[in-house]
Amino acid sequence: MSIPAFRHNRGGYGGMSLRGIPDEVMDDWFAPATRSRAVRRDFAKFATGAPDRKTLLDWSERLSDFDRPVLVVWATEDRLMPREHGPRLAGLYPQGRLIEIADSSTLIPEDQPERLAEVLTDFLVQTGAEPVRQAD
């Protein structure tokens, strides 16, 4: 991830934000892997250990057992995660709710942090949860 062409490639991290991810942010993300063999090992296990399609479908069927409010936040300009998957995911939960955030790709916290915070706060208030407030 130290090679800029790879780091900013539109088919990878470069495509996950409409505005691009600053190098210093990516440096922070990847720093633990540069310092720890255990982190690299765990990442490799994660990246190569995706369950098969049948297992994923079995797990998705179990989502309907979750009886609490669920908020699915989806980016409208996401090139990596198709837009039609957002409503499908929200629909798997009995109390699922979908909010789409415009002018954002996969990494909504990078593209639209204020809008995401607003959506999350509204959801917490509407469902009776208390949002966590940061100390000033």
Side-chain angles (χ1 to χ4, degrees), residues 23-111:
D23 283 326
E24 55 274 6
V25 171
M26 280 197 189
D27 290 344
D28 285 344
W29 290 354
F30 300 119
T34 65
R35 295 188 295 264
S36 170
R37 179 174 292 175
V39 170
R40 289 189 298 275
R41 180 202 65 226
D42 289 350
F43 178 76
K45 286 169 67 175
F46 165 76
T48 60
D52 61 41
R53 182 173 176 79
K54 181 186 179 321
T55 300
L56 291 173
L57 290 172
D58 290 344
W59 289 350
S60 70
E61 289 176 14
R62 295 191 344 221
L63 297 178
S64 65
D65 296 337
F66 190 77
D67 66 349
R68 304 271 172 97
V70 172
L71 178 64
V72 174
V73 180
W74 213 263
T76 59
E77 281 87 49
D78 196 330
R79 290 182 290 280
L80 303 176
M81 301 175 75
R83 191 170 181 181
E84 63 269 14
H85 289 188
R88 286 176 48 201
L89 178 59
L92 293 172
Y93 294 98
Q95 294 187 57
R97 183 180 319 173
L98 172 70
I99 298 289
E100 292 185 320
I101 296 191
D103 195 29
S104 183
S105 189
T106 311
L107 296 175
I108 297 170
E110 291 297 323
D111 285 340

Side-chain angles (χ1 to χ4, degrees), residues 109-123:
E110 291 297 323
D111 285 340
Q112 293 293 337
E114 294 85 8
R115 179 70 179 124
L116 178 60
E118 176 186 309
V119 164
L120 293 173
T121 300
D122 288 348
F123 176 75

